[in-house]
Amino acid sequence: MRLTILGCNSSTPRADGFTTSQVLELGSKIFLIDCGEGAQIQMKKVRIKFRSIDYILISHLHGDHYHGLIGFLTSSSHFGRTTPLTIFGPRGLKEIIQLQINITKLSLSYQLNFVELYKDESEVIFNQSNIKLSTIPLNHRIYTNGFLIEFTPSNRVIDAENPRRGLNFQSCEAEQLKAGRDLKFNTGKTIPNQALTKPGSYHSYAYCSDTAYKPHIISMIKGVDVLYHEATFLESERKKAEQTFHSTAREAALIAKRAGVKTLILGHYSARYKTKKDHLKEAKTVFQSTELAEDLRVFQF
Amino acid sequence: MRLTILGCNSSTPRADGFTTSQVLELGSKIFLIDCGEGAQIQMKKVRIKFRSIDYILISHLHGDHYHGLIGFLTSSSHFGRTTPLTIFGPRGLKEIIQLQINITKLSLSYQLNFVELYKDESEVIFNQSNIKLSTIPLNHRIYTNGFLIEFTPSNRVIDAENPRRGLNFQSCEAEQLKAGRDLKFNTGKTIPNQALTKPGSYHSYAYCSDTAYKPHIISMIKGVDVLYHEATFLESERKKAEQTFHSTAREAALIAKRAGVKTLILGHYSARYKTKKDHLKEAKTVFQSTELAEDLRVFQF
């Protein structure tokens, strides 16, 4: 699981900071999650190929989360993408994109599909290739979803802890073992698969931006490996956070602690904070395993 | 007259280069001309205040000329703009912007006006505050206008060459002279205005992007101070230029030469060129007074 932060600022782009967008690589799939203005510029900086994106998830229709989408889609066509692309996002997004495609006479080189989200309850919106994708309904000024992305590998992995690991399997034998088959020798001897392998690792990522403090999401994100949770404000601006339906760093940490996640990543910072050190400090008083999102930072889990 | 290049690349934003957008300060008015993705980021870098923009001109509806507009308009509202803002652009632009405002429930803090352009002939679209703004119909793949912006000052300026300049006018006397009145002394003596002043300078700027080589525009831009003309390609890719309705550096220079402009600025470079030195060289063989647009370069005329 690899997460690349393209932008992690709130509201408006800055001379030295981009708005929300990130790329998650999980299993064999790559997700572009939100797409603030200039996301494609950031992708070029970290050399993520546009055609590598399999799915796009848009949390809500505030500009700092979707203004870069039409540019990314247009450029993907200029670069000759041919594989279909599916966007999961709120109702209305399809109309916005389709109108621009029509009026500007843009002829896309690939098939563009939309899955429009409108439900107030969590739903599984994708379940294939060992990836399960569910919405996390959030509490913001307009209709907003977070996303829970879970990877359950079908393949088993050869158990490095197993005392028989010194057997030096041929590659075809290793493939059979990963596929769950027993190891058979010419002598007729058989070693059961489970004696040599263990299940592949489950990985999970939860993305929660933007939202007011919403403890209801805790049951959904229980024990995830990584939680990205917005922390627009510090506790000192908690009133402002409440008014604008955003969270403080401490609230993000409370969610992480109560959900028992492994790692919390903070982001969606207000422009009023020149440094994010206080966000980290505030969150760590509640939940130690906290990291700060930074533009172009890459997390490998 | 002051021109700030925010972006001058064609097609798609790059890791190290923005698409087309520029700010022209002329007389007392400030124009944002085209608005590619990330234009607002560039404005912040050069510290141009969003609220200082009086008018926005959009040449055509290719993404590299308008994808940054919704972001700029949204941010202007976040920053509390209250003065009305008028956009001149092709028919369809209003629908694109208005749909996003409606669907995303964006409540703008200012009045937004559109003047939709659709005529194939040149027209005067603005004529006040000593500024005259005309369209320059161009030849591109979709409906496209360049813009001619002319400033004719109503005020006279005190003639620095005049031998009587040492008179040390009081500020109220200077104001009267600029307004065209004669200078009257308490003694009854009068010096005629024209003996001390001269007309203020006429300034003109022509923006021509995107277009195939179109000599028809020459009569419109005759003798302008500054011509910005696209030069997407070099002569070595002239076929590509013709196919895509773009110009070469040499063609831009031919237009400048035949129109007798004072300065030519090249821009809208294709991504295939790592350096723009050859553009400059090619244009200068035809028209010596050529400059290269570069992101964040400021021209003062």
Side-chain angles (χ1 to χ4, degrees):
Chain A
M1 182 160 64
R2 184 182 160 94
L3 177 71
T4 303
I5 305 295
L6 302 177
C8 57
N9 294 294
S10 71
S11 189
T12 62
R14 295 153 207 182
D16 60 351
F18 285 73
T19 50
T20 301
S21 189
Q22 51 186 246
V23 173
L24 178 75
E25 300 167 53
L26 186 55
S28 61
K29 297 296 177 194
I30 304 187
F31 298 86
L32 173 59
I33 306 176
D34 278 340
C35 193
E37 184 172 352
Q40 61 173 322
I41 296 172
Q42 299 290 80
M43 283 177 71
K44 286 187 178 169
K45 287 183 191 162
V46 289
R47 294 171 188 255
I48 293 177
K49 288 204 180 303
F50 287 27
R51 77 170 74 96
S52 74
I53 301 298
D54 295 299
Y55 301 99
I56 299 177
L57 317 179
I58 301 292
S59 63
H60 66 301
L61 294 182
H62 279 157
D64 53 334
H65 294 254
Y66 91 91
H67 279 166
L69 183 58
I70 183 67
F72 173 80
L73 299 177
T74 305
S75 296
S76 293
S77 187
H78 284 164
F79 298 153
R81 179 187 182 110
T82 53
T83 50
L85 181 59
T86 299
I87 301 173
F88 299 86
R91 192 177 266 173
L93 181 60
K94 180 180 178 180
E95 195 179 344
I96 287 171
I97 297 299
Q98 203 60 57
L99 181 77
Q100 292 182 79
I101 289 172
N102 295 346
I103 286 186
T104 66
K105 296 175 181 149
L106 180 61
S107 171
L108 288 182
S109 64
Y110 57 93
Q111 185 186 319
L112 184 60
N113 308 311
F114 286 88
V115 176
E116 291 206 288
L117 309 175
Y118 54 89
K119 291 191 180 164
D120 290 328
E121 302 81 40
S122 173
E123 57 180 326
V124 176
I125 53 179
F126 178 89
N127 199 352
Q128 62 188 62
S129 305
N130 309 103
I131 298 277
K132 185 175 160 192
L133 172 57
S134 316
T135 58
I136 305 173
L138 298 175
N139 181 21
H140 196 40
R141 299 194 299 280
I142 59 173
Y143 177 73
T144 303
N145 285 298
F147 299 100
L148 173 64
I149 309 171
E150 298 169 280
F151 172 69
T152 312
S154 52
N155 280 357
R156 296 181 69 84
V157 293
I158 293 168
D159 189 354
E161 304 288 311
N162 193 293
R164 293 189 197 236
R165 68 187 178 281
L167 277 177
N168 280 331
F169 305 117
Q170 302 294 319
S171 64
C172 63
E173 291 171 339
E175 284 309 308
Q176 289 188 333
L177 283 170
K178 286 177 189 170
R181 296 190 204 130
D182 296 338
L183 189 62
K184 290 180 183 171
F185 296 91
N186 292 339
T187 59
K189 188 184 167 190
T190 296
I191 305 178
N193 185 285
Q194 297 206 349
L196 297 167
T197 69
K198 61 180 182 181
S201 298
Y202 165 88
H203 291 293
S204 53
Y205 177 71
Y207 173 86
C208 297
S209 185
D210 299 355
T211 187
Y213 178 59
K214 190 181 182 190
H216 297 77
I217 66 175
I218 289 168
S219 60
M220 273 207 69
I221 61 173
K222 210 92 190 170
V224 295
D225 292 313
V226 183
L227 165 65
Y228 178 96
H229 196 289
E230 75 126 292
T232 310
F233 295 102
L234 293 171
E235 278 292 302
S236 48
E237 279 78 36
R238 192 209 276 238
K239 271 204 171 163
K240 184 83 181 155
E242 283 169 10
Q243 284 161 2
T244 55
F245 291 78
H246 283 300
S247 300
T248 67
R250 183 172 178 275
E251 288 171 333
L254 279 174
I255 296 285
K257 185 181 183 184
R258 291 179 58 192
V261 310
K262 292 203 183 82
T263 302
L264 166 67
I265 301 175
L266 302 178
H268 201 265
Y269 315 114
S270 161
R272 73 190 60 209
Y273 306 110
K274 298 305 164 214
T275 166
K276 313 305 172 308
K277 282 181 190 165
D278 291 337
H279 285 73
L280 191 62
K281 197 173 159 193
E282 182 173 296
K284 282 200 167 191
T285 59
V286 174
F287 187 76
Q288 184 58 32
S289 182
T290 303
E291 300 283 343
L292 288 176
E294 291 166 32
D295 286 13
L296 304 184
R297 184 172 178 186
V298 179
F299 295 90
Q300 190 97 38
F301 298 99
Chain B
M1 181 159 66
R2 186 182 158 95
L3 177 71
T4 304
I5 306 294
L6 302 177
C8 57
N9 294 295
S10 71
S11 188
T12 61
R14 296 155 206 178
D16 59 353
F18 285 73
T19 51
T20 301
S21 189
Q22 49 185 249
V23 173
L24 179 75
E25 300 167 52
L26 186 55
S28 62
K29 298 295 178 193
I30 305 187
F31 299 86
L32 174 59
I33 306 175
D34 278 339
C35 194
E37 184 172 351
Q40 61 173 319
I41 296 171
Q42 298 291 81
M43 283 178 69
K44 286 185 178 171
K45 287 182 190 163
V46 289
R47 295 171 188 255
I48 292 176
K49 288 205 180 304
F50 288 26
R51 76 171 73 96
S52 74
I53 300 298
D54 295 300
Y55 301 99
I56 299 177
L57 317 178
I58 301 293
S59 62
H60 67 300
L61 295 181
H62 279 157
D64 52 336
H65 294 254
Y66 92 90
H67 278 165
L69 183 58
I70 183 67
F72 173 80
L73 299 176
T74 305
S75 296
S76 293
S77 186
H78 284 164
F79 298 153
R81 180 186 181 110
T82 53
T83 50
L85 181 59
T86 300
I87 301 173
F88 299 87
R91 193 177 265 173
L93 181 60
K94 180 180 177 180
E95 195 180 343
I96 287 171
I97 298 299
Q98 203 58 58
L99 180 78
Q100 290 182 79
I101 289 173
N102 294 346
I103 286 186
T104 66
K105 295 174 182 152
L106 179 61
S107 170
L108 288 183
S109 63
Y110 58 93
Q111 185 186 321
L112 184 60
N113 307 312
F114 286 89
V115 176
E116 290 207 287
L117 307 175
Y118 55 89
K119 292 190 181 163
D120 290 327
E121 301 81 39
S122 172
E123 58 179 324
V124 176
I125 53 177
F126 178 88
N127 198 354
Q128 62 188 64
S129 306
N130 308 101
I131 298 276
K132 185 175 160 192
L133 171 58
S134 316
T135 58
I136 305 173
L138 298 176
N139 182 20
H140 195 41
R141 299 194 300 281
I142 60 172
Y143 178 74
T144 303
N145 285 299
F147 299 100
L148 173 64
I149 309 171
E150 297 168 281
F151 172 70
T152 311
S154 53
N155 279 359
R156 296 182 68 83
V157 293
I158 293 168
D159 188 356
E161 302 289 312
N162 193 293
R164 295 192 197 236
R165 68 188 179 280
L167 278 175
N168 280 330
F169 306 118
Q170 301 293 319
S171 65
C172 63
E173 291 171 337
E175 286 308 309
Q176 289 188 332
L177 283 170
K178 287 178 190 169
R181 295 189 203 129
D182 296 337
L183 190 63
K184 291 181 184 171
F185 295 92
N186 292 338
T187 59
K189 190 183 165 190
T190 296
I191 304 177
N193 185 284
Q194 296 207 348
L196 296 167
T197 69
K198 61 180 182 180
S201 298
Y202 165 87
H203 290 293
S204 53
Y205 177 72
Y207 173 86
C208 297
S209 185
D210 298 357
T211 187
Y213 179 58
K214 190 181 183 192
H216 297 76
I217 67 175
I218 290 168
S219 60
M220 275 205 69
I221 61 173
K222 210 92 190 169
V224 296
D225 292 314
V226 183
L227 165 65
Y228 178 96
H229 196 290
E230 74 127 291
T232 311
F233 296 103
L234 293 172
E235 277 293 301
S236 49
E237 278 78 38
R238 192 209 275 240
K239 272 203 171 165
K240 185 81 180 158
E242 283 168 11
Q243 284 162 3
T244 56
F245 291 78
H246 283 300
S247 300
T248 68
R250 184 171 177 274
E251 288 171 333
L254 279 174
I255 296 285
K257 186 183 182 182
R258 291 180 58 190
V261 310
K262 292 204 184 80
T263 303
L264 167 67
I265 301 174
L266 302 179
H268 202 264
Y269 315 114
S270 160
R272 73 190 60 209
Y273 306 109
K274 297 304 164 216
T275 166
K276 311 306 172 307
K277 282 182 190 164
D278 291 336
H279 285 72
L280 191 61
K281 198 173 159 193
E282 182 173 296
K284 282 201 168 190
T285 60
V286 174
F287 187 75
Q288 185 57 31
S289 183
T290 303
E291 300 283 344
L292 287 177
E294 291 165 33
D295 285 14
L296 304 184
R297 183 172 176 186
V298 179
F299 294 91
Q300 190 97 38
F301 298 102

